[in-house]
Amino acid sequence: QVQLVESGGGLVQAGGSLRLSCAASGSGFSINTMGWYRQAPGKQRELVATITSGNITNYPGRFTISRDNAKNTVYLQMNSLKPDDTAVYYCNVRFLPYGSSYLRNAWGQGTQVTVSA
């Protein structure tokens, strides 16, 4: 029911900025928490930031997460990027299908972020 399309990744120099976006499409569901994860080569996938339907966020430091509910889109503003930020970034949404009683997960396809020294 839920399709996620990510964009905004690319190659930047250390200290630069990127803005990732993830748009959810489909019907028959409501979206709850949205978030971003990342996975570097040889590393475990790790949580970057989340934002609830009530706009409660975590990890609000160097990266800023936001959402536009009218567009079903979540963003990740990444400033002061470092080489260690190099990873594939994945969008995640928790959603509730109409008529269902429990939340489910959807994942984006991933977008590559590469930060050069």
Side-chain angles (χ1 to χ4, degrees):
Q1 288 184 320
V2 178
Q3 299 290 325
L4 304 179
V5 179
E6 302 179 29
S7 63
L11 173 64
V12 298
Q13 291 185 327
S17 299
L18 286 173
R19 189 189 190 214
L20 307 183
S21 65
C22 175
S25 63
S27 62
F29 61 88
S30 61
I31 296 177
N32 288 270
T33 300
M34 310 180 79
W36 291 93
Y37 295 73
R38 69 184 184 186
Q39 188 166 21
K43 304 293 184 181
Q44 299 284 340
R45 184 173 297 187
E46 65 177 352
L47 175 68
V48 177
T50 60
I51 182 168
T52 71
S53 60
N55 286 106
I56 299 174
T57 62
N58 70 342
Y59 302 101
R62 184 162 53 89
F63 297 167
T64 301
I65 189 169
S66 62
R67 64 191 288 169
D68 185 337
N69 291 329
K71 299 179 180 178
N72 283 338
T73 300
V74 62
Y75 305 93
L76 186 69
Q77 181 66 48
M78 303 187 293
N79 299 325
S80 301
L81 283 163
K82 305 174 182 178
D84 285 348
D85 295 321
T86 296
V88 177
Y89 285 71
Y90 296 93
C91 174
N92 171 264
V93 302
R94 298 271 288 171
F95 68 99
L96 183 68
Y98 297 156
S100 179
S101 60
Y102 66 97
L103 293 169
R104 305 176 188 184
N105 277 311
W107 291 92
Q109 81 281 5
T111 184
Q112 177 70 47
V113 172
T114 302
V115 184
S116 63

PDB file of all heavy atoms in Angstrom, residues 32-68:
ATOM      1  N   ASN A  32       2.250   7.259  10.695  1.00  0.00           N
ATOM      2  CA  ASN A  32       2.604   7.671  12.043  1.00  0.00           C
ATOM      3  C   ASN A  32       4.055   8.159  12.052  1.00  0.00           C
ATOM      4  O   ASN A  32       4.374   9.135  11.387  1.00  0.00           O
ATOM      5  CB  ASN A  32       2.347   6.531  13.021  1.00  0.00           C
ATOM      6  CG  ASN A  32       0.865   6.300  13.254  1.00  0.00           C
ATOM      7  OD1 ASN A  32       0.280   6.892  14.163  1.00  0.00           O
ATOM      8  ND2 ASN A  32       0.251   5.465  12.443  1.00  0.00           N
ATOM      9  N   THR A  33       4.920   7.495  12.767  1.00  0.00           N
ATOM     10  CA  THR A  33       6.303   7.942  12.863  1.00  0.00           C
ATOM     11  C   THR A  33       7.038   7.745  11.543  1.00  0.00           C
ATOM     12  O   THR A  33       6.865   6.726  10.869  1.00  0.00           O
ATOM     13  CB  THR A  33       7.031   7.196  13.983  1.00  0.00           C
ATOM     14  OG1 THR A  33       6.370   7.445  15.226  1.00  0.00           O
ATOM     15  CG2 THR A  33       8.481   7.653  14.097  1.00  0.00           C
ATOM     16  N   MET A  34       7.864   8.723  11.192  1.00  0.00           N
ATOM     17  CA  MET A  34       8.726   8.650  10.032  1.00  0.00           C
ATOM     18  C   MET A  34      10.161   8.840  10.503  1.00  0.00           C
ATOM     19  O   MET A  34      10.407   9.499  11.520  1.00  0.00           O
ATOM     20  CB  MET A  34       8.358   9.713   8.996  1.00  0.00           C
ATOM     21  CG  MET A  34       6.875   9.751   8.650  1.00  0.00           C
ATOM     22  SD  MET A  34       6.440  11.016   7.428  1.00  0.00           S
ATOM     23  CE  MET A  34       6.953  10.193   5.911  1.00  0.00           C
ATOM     24  N   GLY A  35      11.090   8.274   9.768  1.00  0.00           N
ATOM     25  CA  GLY A  35      12.466   8.388  10.205  1.00  0.00           C
ATOM     26  C   GLY A  35      13.466   8.086   9.120  1.00  0.00           C
ATOM     27  O   GLY A  35      13.115   7.733   7.990  1.00  0.00           O
ATOM     28  N   TRP A  36      14.711   8.269   9.496  1.00  0.00           N
ATOM     29  CA  TRP A  36      15.840   7.997   8.620  1.00  0.00           C
ATOM     30  C   TRP A  36      16.827   7.080   9.315  1.00  0.00           C
ATOM     31  O   TRP A  36      17.122   7.259  10.508  1.00  0.00           O
ATOM     32  CB  TRP A  36      16.551   9.288   8.211  1.00  0.00           C
ATOM     33  CG  TRP A  36      15.746  10.158   7.306  1.00  0.00           C
ATOM     34  CD1 TRP A  36      14.920  11.179   7.657  1.00  0.00           C
ATOM     35  CD2 TRP A  36      15.690  10.069   5.876  1.00  0.00           C
ATOM     36  NE1 TRP A  36      14.352  11.742   6.543  1.00  0.00           N
ATOM     37  CE2 TRP A  36      14.806  11.079   5.438  1.00  0.00           C
ATOM     38  CE3 TRP A  36      16.302   9.245   4.934  1.00  0.00           C
ATOM     39  CZ2 TRP A  36      14.517  11.284   4.090  1.00  0.00           C
ATOM     40  CZ3 TRP A  36      16.007   9.442   3.590  1.00  0.00           C
ATOM     41  CH2 TRP A  36      15.129  10.452   3.186  1.00  0.00           C
ATOM     42  N   TYR A  37      17.335   6.125   8.575  1.00  0.00           N
ATOM     43  CA  TYR A  37      18.385   5.236   9.007  1.00  0.00           C
ATOM     44  C   TYR A  37      19.510   5.300   7.992  1.00  0.00           C
ATOM     45  O   TYR A  37      19.320   5.756   6.863  1.00  0.00           O
ATOM     46  CB  TYR A  37      17.875   3.794   9.126  1.00  0.00           C
ATOM     47  CG  TYR A  37      16.832   3.586  10.203  1.00  0.00           C
ATOM     48  CD1 TYR A  37      15.535   4.052  10.049  1.00  0.00           C
ATOM     49  CD2 TYR A  37      17.148   2.903  11.380  1.00  0.00           C
ATOM     50  CE1 TYR A  37      14.577   3.861  11.031  1.00  0.00           C
ATOM     51  CE2 TYR A  37      16.197   2.702  12.367  1.00  0.00           C
ATOM     52  CZ  TYR A  37      14.921   3.178  12.184  1.00  0.00           C
ATOM     53  OH  TYR A  37      13.967   2.977  13.167  1.00  0.00           O
ATOM     54  N   ARG A  38      20.672   4.834   8.390  1.00  0.00           N
ATOM     55  CA  ARG A  38      21.776   4.787   7.447  1.00  0.00           C
ATOM     56  C   ARG A  38      22.619   3.547   7.696  1.00  0.00           C
ATOM     57  O   ARG A  38      22.637   2.997   8.798  1.00  0.00           O
ATOM     58  CB  ARG A  38      22.646   6.043   7.537  1.00  0.00           C
ATOM     59  CG  ARG A  38      23.460   6.167   8.815  1.00  0.00           C
ATOM     60  CD  ARG A  38      24.200   7.494   8.844  1.00  0.00           C
ATOM     61  NE  ARG A  38      25.063   7.620  10.006  1.00  0.00           N
ATOM     62  CZ  ARG A  38      25.728   8.719  10.321  1.00  0.00           C
ATOM     63  NH1 ARG A  38      25.625   9.808   9.551  1.00  0.00           N
ATOM     64  NH2 ARG A  38      26.505   8.742  11.403  1.00  0.00           N
ATOM     65  N   GLN A  39      23.302   3.128   6.653  1.00  0.00           N
ATOM     66  CA  GLN A  39      24.162   1.969   6.743  1.00  0.00           C
ATOM     67  C   GLN A  39      25.422   2.221   5.923  1.00  0.00           C
ATOM     68  O   GLN A  39      25.355   2.419   4.714  1.00  0.00           O
ATOM     69  CB  GLN A  39      23.458   0.712   6.247  1.00  0.00           C
ATOM     70  CG  GLN A  39      24.240  -0.561   6.495  1.00  0.00           C
ATOM     71  CD  GLN A  39      23.393  -1.807   6.303  1.00  0.00           C
ATOM     72  OE1 GLN A  39      22.370  -1.776   5.627  1.00  0.00           O
ATOM     73  NE2 GLN A  39      23.810  -2.898   6.908  1.00  0.00           N
ATOM     74  N   ALA A  40      26.548   2.231   6.604  1.00  0.00           N
ATOM     75  CA  ALA A  40      27.846   2.381   5.965  1.00  0.00           C
ATOM     76  C   ALA A  40      28.397   1.007   5.625  1.00  0.00           C
ATOM     77  O   ALA A  40      28.008   0.003   6.231  1.00  0.00           O
ATOM     78  CB  ALA A  40      28.802   3.136   6.882  1.00  0.00           C
ATOM     79  N   PRO A  41      29.318   0.942   4.664  1.00  0.00           N
ATOM     80  CA  PRO A  41      29.899  -0.349   4.307  1.00  0.00           C
ATOM     81  C   PRO A  41      30.512  -1.052   5.511  1.00  0.00           C
ATOM     82  O   PRO A  41      31.288  -0.461   6.265  1.00  0.00           O
ATOM     83  CB  PRO A  41      30.970   0.021   3.277  1.00  0.00           C
ATOM     84  CG  PRO A  41      30.486   1.298   2.681  1.00  0.00           C
ATOM     85  CD  PRO A  41      29.829   2.031   3.817  1.00  0.00           C
ATOM     86  N   GLY A  42      30.147  -2.299   5.695  1.00  0.00           N
ATOM     87  CA  GLY A  42      30.671  -3.084   6.797  1.00  0.00           C
ATOM     88  C   GLY A  42      30.097  -2.745   8.151  1.00  0.00           C
ATOM     89  O   GLY A  42      30.572  -3.288   9.161  1.00  0.00           O
ATOM     90  N   LYS A  43      29.092  -1.881   8.193  1.00  0.00           N
ATOM     91  CA  LYS A  43      28.517  -1.453   9.456  1.00  0.00           C
ATOM     92  C   LYS A  43      27.052  -1.869   9.551  1.00  0.00           C
ATOM     93  O   LYS A  43      26.404  -2.176   8.547  1.00  0.00           O
ATOM     94  CB  LYS A  43      28.624   0.062   9.622  1.00  0.00           C
ATOM     95  CG  LYS A  43      30.031   0.614   9.517  1.00  0.00           C
ATOM     96  CD  LYS A  43      30.899   0.165  10.668  1.00  0.00           C
ATOM     97  CE  LYS A  43      32.276   0.816  10.591  1.00  0.00           C
ATOM     98  NZ  LYS A  43      33.144   0.370  11.708  1.00  0.00           N
ATOM     99  N   GLN A  44      26.552  -1.873  10.770  1.00  0.00           N
ATOM    100  CA  GLN A  44      25.143  -2.130  10.999  1.00  0.00           C
ATOM    101  C   GLN A  44      24.312  -0.914  10.611  1.00  0.00           C
ATOM    102  O   GLN A  44      24.784   0.223  10.664  1.00  0.00           O
ATOM    103  CB  GLN A  44      24.899  -2.470  12.470  1.00  0.00           C
ATOM    104  CG  GLN A  44      25.611  -3.713  12.968  1.00  0.00           C
ATOM    105  CD  GLN A  44      24.946  -4.980  12.500  1.00  0.00           C
ATOM    106  OE1 GLN A  44      23.779  -4.984  12.115  1.00  0.00           O
ATOM    107  NE2 GLN A  44      25.688  -6.080  12.536  1.00  0.00           N
ATOM    108  N   ARG A  45      23.096  -1.162  10.233  1.00  0.00           N
ATOM    109  CA  ARG A  45      22.181  -0.062   9.989  1.00  0.00           C
ATOM    110  C   ARG A  45      21.878   0.631  11.317  1.00  0.00           C
ATOM    111  O   ARG A  45      21.630  -0.027  12.332  1.00  0.00           O
ATOM    112  CB  ARG A  45      20.892  -0.563   9.342  1.00  0.00           C
ATOM    113  CG  ARG A  45      19.916   0.550   8.977  1.00  0.00           C
ATOM    114  CD  ARG A  45      18.720   0.028   8.192  1.00  0.00           C
ATOM    115  NE  ARG A  45      19.109  -0.548   6.925  1.00  0.00           N
ATOM    116  CZ  ARG A  45      18.263  -0.956   5.981  1.00  0.00           C
ATOM    117  NH1 ARG A  45      16.955  -0.834   6.181  1.00  0.00           N
ATOM    118  NH2 ARG A  45      18.706  -1.485   4.857  1.00  0.00           N
ATOM    119  N   GLU A  46      21.914   1.945  11.306  1.00  0.00           N
ATOM    120  CA  GLU A  46      21.711   2.702  12.525  1.00  0.00           C
ATOM    121  C   GLU A  46      20.662   3.785  12.338  1.00  0.00           C
ATOM    122  O   GLU A  46      20.469   4.319  11.243  1.00  0.00           O
ATOM    123  CB  GLU A  46      23.021   3.334  13.007  1.00  0.00           C
ATOM    124  CG  GLU A  46      23.591   4.376  12.069  1.00  0.00           C
ATOM    125  CD  GLU A  46      24.851   5.026  12.608  1.00  0.00           C
ATOM    126  OE1 GLU A  46      25.210   4.776  13.778  1.00  0.00           O
ATOM    127  OE2 GLU A  46      25.490   5.797  11.861  1.00  0.00           O
ATOM    128  N   LEU A  47      20.013   4.092  13.423  1.00  0.00           N
ATOM    129  CA  LEU A  47      19.002   5.142  13.426  1.00  0.00           C
ATOM    130  C   LEU A  47      19.665   6.506  13.365  1.00  0.00           C
ATOM    131  O   LEU A  47      20.627   6.779  14.089  1.00  0.00           O
ATOM    132  CB  LEU A  47      18.144   5.027  14.686  1.00  0.00           C
ATOM    133  CG  LEU A  47      17.094   6.118  14.909  1.00  0.00           C
ATOM    134  CD1 LEU A  47      15.989   6.020  13.862  1.00  0.00           C
ATOM    135  CD2 LEU A  47      16.506   6.008  16.310  1.00  0.00           C
ATOM    136  N   VAL A  48      19.136   7.367  12.520  1.00  0.00           N
ATOM    137  CA  VAL A  48      19.618   8.735  12.415  1.00  0.00           C
ATOM    138  C   VAL A  48      18.682   9.695  13.145  1.00  0.00           C
ATOM    139  O   VAL A  48      19.112  10.489  13.982  1.00  0.00           O
ATOM    140  CB  VAL A  48      19.782   9.166  10.947  1.00  0.00           C
ATOM    141  CG1 VAL A  48      20.227  10.621  10.866  1.00  0.00           C
ATOM    142  CG2 VAL A  48      20.778   8.260  10.234  1.00  0.00           C
ATOM    143  N   ALA A  49      17.412   9.639  12.813  1.00  0.00           N
ATOM    144  CA  ALA A  49      16.442  10.541  13.414  1.00  0.00           C
ATOM    145  C   ALA A  49      15.041  10.033  13.147  1.00  0.00           C
ATOM    146  O   ALA A  49      14.796   9.335  12.158  1.00  0.00           O
ATOM    147  CB  ALA A  49      16.593  11.963  12.866  1.00  0.00           C
ATOM    148  N   THR A  50      14.128  10.382  14.018  1.00  0.00           N
ATOM    149  CA  THR A  50      12.718  10.059  13.829  1.00  0.00           C
ATOM    150  C   THR A  50      11.866  11.270  14.164  1.00  0.00           C
ATOM    151  O   THR A  50      12.286  12.167  14.899  1.00  0.00           O
ATOM    152  CB  THR A  50      12.255   8.872  14.692  1.00  0.00           C
ATOM    153  OG1 THR A  50      12.441   9.177  16.077  1.00  0.00           O
ATOM    154  CG2 THR A  50      13.027   7.609  14.334  1.00  0.00           C
ATOM    155  N   ILE A  51      10.661  11.255  13.635  1.00  0.00           N
ATOM    156  CA  ILE A  51       9.701  12.307  13.925  1.00  0.00           C
ATOM    157  C   ILE A  51       8.317  11.681  13.973  1.00  0.00           C
ATOM    158  O   ILE A  51       7.930  10.925  13.082  1.00  0.00           O
ATOM    159  CB  ILE A  51       9.782  13.448  12.884  1.00  0.00           C
ATOM    160  CG1 ILE A  51       8.800  14.572  13.223  1.00  0.00           C
ATOM    161  CG2 ILE A  51       9.561  12.924  11.467  1.00  0.00           C
ATOM    162  CD1 ILE A  51       9.038  15.832  12.405  1.00  0.00           C
ATOM    163  N   THR A  52       7.585  11.967  15.027  1.00  0.00           N
ATOM    164  CA  THR A  52       6.269  11.390  15.208  1.00  0.00           C
ATOM    165  C   THR A  52       5.222  12.197  14.456  1.00  0.00           C
ATOM    166  O   THR A  52       5.489  13.271  13.923  1.00  0.00           O
ATOM    167  CB  THR A  52       5.890  11.316  16.683  1.00  0.00           C
ATOM    168  OG1 THR A  52       5.641  12.640  17.178  1.00  0.00           O
ATOM    169  CG2 THR A  52       6.995  10.666  17.507  1.00  0.00           C
ATOM    170  N   SER A  53       4.013  11.666  14.450  1.00  0.00           N
ATOM    171  CA  SER A  53       2.915  12.386  13.823  1.00  0.00           C
ATOM    172  C   SER A  53       2.620  13.694  14.535  1.00  0.00           C
ATOM    173  O   SER A  53       2.031  14.596  13.940  1.00  0.00           O
ATOM    174  CB  SER A  53       1.663  11.513  13.788  1.00  0.00           C
ATOM    175  OG  SER A  53       1.265  11.132  15.097  1.00  0.00           O
ATOM    176  N   GLY A  54       3.016  13.801  15.795  1.00  0.00           N
ATOM    177  CA  GLY A  54       2.876  15.030  16.550  1.00  0.00           C
ATOM    178  C   GLY A  54       4.100  15.918  16.509  1.00  0.00           C
ATOM    179  O   GLY A  54       4.212  16.837  17.319  1.00  0.00           O
ATOM    180  N   ASN A  55       5.015  15.637  15.586  1.00  0.00           N
ATOM    181  CA  ASN A  55       6.224  16.435  15.378  1.00  0.00           C
ATOM    182  C   ASN A  55       7.182  16.390  16.558  1.00  0.00           C
ATOM    183  O   ASN A  55       7.928  17.347  16.803  1.00  0.00           O
ATOM    184  CB  ASN A  55       5.884  17.882  15.030  1.00  0.00           C
ATOM    185  CG  ASN A  55       5.362  18.030  13.625  1.00  0.00           C
ATOM    186  OD1 ASN A  55       4.171  18.230  13.407  1.00  0.00           O
ATOM    187  ND2 ASN A  55       6.261  17.917  12.646  1.00  0.00           N
ATOM    188  N   ILE A  56       7.180  15.296  17.279  1.00  0.00           N
ATOM    189  CA  ILE A  56       8.182  15.071  18.307  1.00  0.00           C
ATOM    190  C   ILE A  56       9.375  14.389  17.659  1.00  0.00           C
ATOM    191  O   ILE A  56       9.234  13.344  17.026  1.00  0.00           O
ATOM    192  CB  ILE A  56       7.637  14.220  19.456  1.00  0.00           C
ATOM    193  CG1 ILE A  56       6.462  14.929  20.130  1.00  0.00           C
ATOM    194  CG2 ILE A  56       8.734  13.922  20.470  1.00  0.00           C
ATOM    195  CD1 ILE A  56       5.768  14.100  21.177  1.00  0.00           C
ATOM    196  N   THR A  57      10.536  14.983  17.809  1.00  0.00           N
ATOM    197  CA  THR A  57      11.730  14.491  17.144  1.00  0.00           C
ATOM    198  C   THR A  57      12.756  13.995  18.144  1.00  0.00           C
ATOM    199  O   THR A  57      12.748  14.362  19.320  1.00  0.00           O
ATOM    200  CB  THR A  57      12.384  15.578  16.283  1.00  0.00           C
ATOM    201  OG1 THR A  57      12.801  16.664  17.128  1.00  0.00           O
ATOM    202  CG2 THR A  57      11.410  16.110  15.246  1.00  0.00           C
ATOM    203  N   ASN A  58      13.643  13.155  17.652  1.00  0.00           N
ATOM    204  CA  ASN A  58      14.833  12.802  18.402  1.00  0.00           C
ATOM    205  C   ASN A  58      16.051  13.102  17.539  1.00  0.00           C
ATOM    206  O   ASN A  58      15.927  13.410  16.349  1.00  0.00           O
ATOM    207  CB  ASN A  58      14.796  11.349  18.860  1.00  0.00           C
ATOM    208  CG  ASN A  58      14.954  10.357  17.711  1.00  0.00           C
ATOM    209  OD1 ASN A  58      14.780  10.678  16.541  1.00  0.00           O
ATOM    210  ND2 ASN A  58      15.275   9.115  18.054  1.00  0.00           N
ATOM    211  N   TYR A  59      17.219  13.038  18.147  1.00  0.00           N
ATOM    212  CA  TYR A  59      18.468  13.342  17.464  1.00  0.00           C
ATOM    213  C   TYR A  59      18.392  14.655  16.688  1.00  0.00           C
ATOM    214  O   TYR A  59      18.670  14.692  15.486  1.00  0.00           O
ATOM    215  CB  TYR A  59      18.871  12.187  16.532  1.00  0.00           C
ATOM    216  CG  TYR A  59      19.015  10.877  17.253  1.00  0.00           C
ATOM    217  CD1 TYR A  59      18.002   9.916  17.195  1.00  0.00           C
ATOM    218  CD2 TYR A  59      20.147  10.600  18.009  1.00  0.00           C
ATOM    219  CE1 TYR A  59      18.133   8.717  17.869  1.00  0.00           C
ATOM    220  CE2 TYR A  59      20.275   9.402  18.695  1.00  0.00           C
ATOM    221  CZ  TYR A  59      19.266   8.458  18.616  1.00  0.00           C
ATOM    222  OH  TYR A  59      19.391   7.258  19.289  1.00  0.00           O
ATOM    223  N   PRO A  60      18.043  15.721  17.379  1.00  0.00           N
ATOM    224  CA  PRO A  60      17.843  17.012  16.704  1.00  0.00           C
ATOM    225  C   PRO A  60      19.107  17.848  16.603  1.00  0.00           C
ATOM    226  O   PRO A  60      19.023  19.079  16.570  1.00  0.00           O
ATOM    227  CB  PRO A  60      16.812  17.694  17.598  1.00  0.00           C
ATOM    228  CG  PRO A  60      17.182  17.228  18.975  1.00  0.00           C
ATOM    229  CD  PRO A  60      17.699  15.803  18.808  1.00  0.00           C
ATOM    230  N   GLY A  61      20.271  17.216  16.568  1.00  0.00           N
ATOM    231  CA  GLY A  61      21.516  17.958  16.567  1.00  0.00           C
ATOM    232  C   GLY A  61      21.919  18.470  15.207  1.00  0.00           C
ATOM    233  O   GLY A  61      21.249  19.326  14.627  1.00  0.00           O
ATOM    234  N   ARG A  62      23.010  17.934  14.695  1.00  0.00           N
ATOM    235  CA  ARG A  62      23.566  18.414  13.449  1.00  0.00           C
ATOM    236  C   ARG A  62      22.627  18.185  12.276  1.00  0.00           C
ATOM    237  O   ARG A  62      22.604  18.974  11.327  1.00  0.00           O
ATOM    238  CB  ARG A  62      24.932  17.745  13.221  1.00  0.00           C
ATOM    239  CG  ARG A  62      25.691  18.193  12.010  1.00  0.00           C
ATOM    240  CD  ARG A  62      27.159  17.797  12.134  1.00  0.00           C
ATOM    241  NE  ARG A  62      27.336  16.370  12.412  1.00  0.00           N
ATOM    242  CZ  ARG A  62      27.443  15.420  11.489  1.00  0.00           C
ATOM    243  NH1 ARG A  62      27.405  15.745  10.196  1.00  0.00           N
ATOM    244  NH2 ARG A  62      27.603  14.154  11.854  1.00  0.00           N
ATOM    245  N   PHE A  63      21.873  17.105  12.333  1.00  0.00           N
ATOM    246  CA  PHE A  63      20.879  16.824  11.302  1.00  0.00           C
ATOM    247  C   PHE A  63      19.503  17.210  11.820  1.00  0.00           C
ATOM    248  O   PHE A  63      19.205  17.045  12.999  1.00  0.00           O
ATOM    249  CB  PHE A  63      20.873  15.341  10.917  1.00  0.00           C
ATOM    250  CG  PHE A  63      22.155  14.853  10.302  1.00  0.00           C
ATOM    251  CD1 PHE A  63      22.378  13.493  10.153  1.00  0.00           C
ATOM    252  CD2 PHE A  63      23.130  15.731   9.870  1.00  0.00           C
ATOM    253  CE1 PHE A  63      23.547  13.026   9.584  1.00  0.00           C
ATOM    254  CE2 PHE A  63      24.311  15.279   9.301  1.00  0.00           C
ATOM    255  CZ  PHE A  63      24.519  13.916   9.155  1.00  0.00           C
ATOM    256  N   THR A  64      18.673  17.694  10.934  1.00  0.00           N
ATOM    257  CA  THR A  64      17.336  18.124  11.297  1.00  0.00           C
ATOM    258  C   THR A  64      16.306  17.350  10.494  1.00  0.00           C
ATOM    259  O   THR A  64      16.357  17.342   9.262  1.00  0.00           O
ATOM    260  CB  THR A  64      17.151  19.628  11.060  1.00  0.00           C
ATOM    261  OG1 THR A  64      18.108  20.364  11.826  1.00  0.00           O
ATOM    262  CG2 THR A  64      15.746  20.062  11.485  1.00  0.00           C
ATOM    263  N   ILE A  65      15.386  16.719  11.186  1.00  0.00           N
ATOM    264  CA  ILE A  65      14.316  15.984  10.536  1.00  0.00           C
ATOM    265  C   ILE A  65      13.037  16.818  10.604  1.00  0.00           C
ATOM    266  O   ILE A  65      12.775  17.502  11.600  1.00  0.00           O
ATOM    267  CB  ILE A  65      14.108  14.596  11.166  1.00  0.00           C
ATOM    268  CG1 ILE A  65      13.149  13.755  10.332  1.00  0.00           C
ATOM    269  CG2 ILE A  65      13.653  14.703  12.615  1.00  0.00           C
ATOM    270  CD1 ILE A  65      13.100  12.287  10.754  1.00  0.00           C
ATOM    271  N   SER A  66      12.269  16.766   9.547  1.00  0.00           N
ATOM    272  CA  SER A  66      10.999  17.470   9.493  1.00  0.00           C
ATOM    273  C   SER A  66      10.054  16.706   8.584  1.00  0.00           C
ATOM    274  O   SER A  66      10.469  15.795   7.859  1.00  0.00           O
ATOM    275  CB  SER A  66      11.180  18.913   9.008  1.00  0.00           C
ATOM    276  OG  SER A  66      11.710  18.948   7.695  1.00  0.00           O
ATOM    277  N   ARG A  67       8.797  17.082   8.612  1.00  0.00           N
ATOM    278  CA  ARG A  67       7.818  16.406   7.767  1.00  0.00           C
ATOM    279  C   ARG A  67       6.756  17.386   7.305  1.00  0.00           C
ATOM    280  O   ARG A  67       6.472  18.389   7.959  1.00  0.00           O
ATOM    281  CB  ARG A  67       7.174  15.222   8.500  1.00  0.00           C
ATOM    282  CG  ARG A  67       6.351  15.597   9.724  1.00  0.00           C
ATOM    283  CD  ARG A  67       5.970  14.360  10.536  1.00  0.00           C
ATOM    284  NE  ARG A  67       4.952  13.553   9.875  1.00  0.00           N
ATOM    285  CZ  ARG A  67       4.605  12.320  10.266  1.00  0.00           C
ATOM    286  NH1 ARG A  67       5.240  11.746  11.294  1.00  0.00           N
ATOM    287  NH2 ARG A  67       3.647  11.663   9.625  1.00  0.00           N
ATOM    288  N   ASP A  68       6.189  17.071   6.174  1.00  0.00           N
ATOM    289  CA  ASP A  68       5.084  17.816   5.609  1.00  0.00           C
ATOM    290  C   ASP A  68       3.952  16.816   5.431  1.00  0.00           C
ATOM    291  O   ASP A  68       3.957  16.025   4.489  1.00  0.00           O
ATOM    292  CB  ASP A  68       5.474  18.459   4.279  1.00  0.00           C
ATOM    293  CG  ASP A  68       4.386  19.349   3.709  1.00  0.00           C
ATOM    294  OD1 ASP A  68       3.205  19.169   4.053  1.00  0.00           O
ATOM    295  OD2 ASP A  68       4.721  20.237   2.902  1.00  0.00           O
TER     296      ASP A  68
END
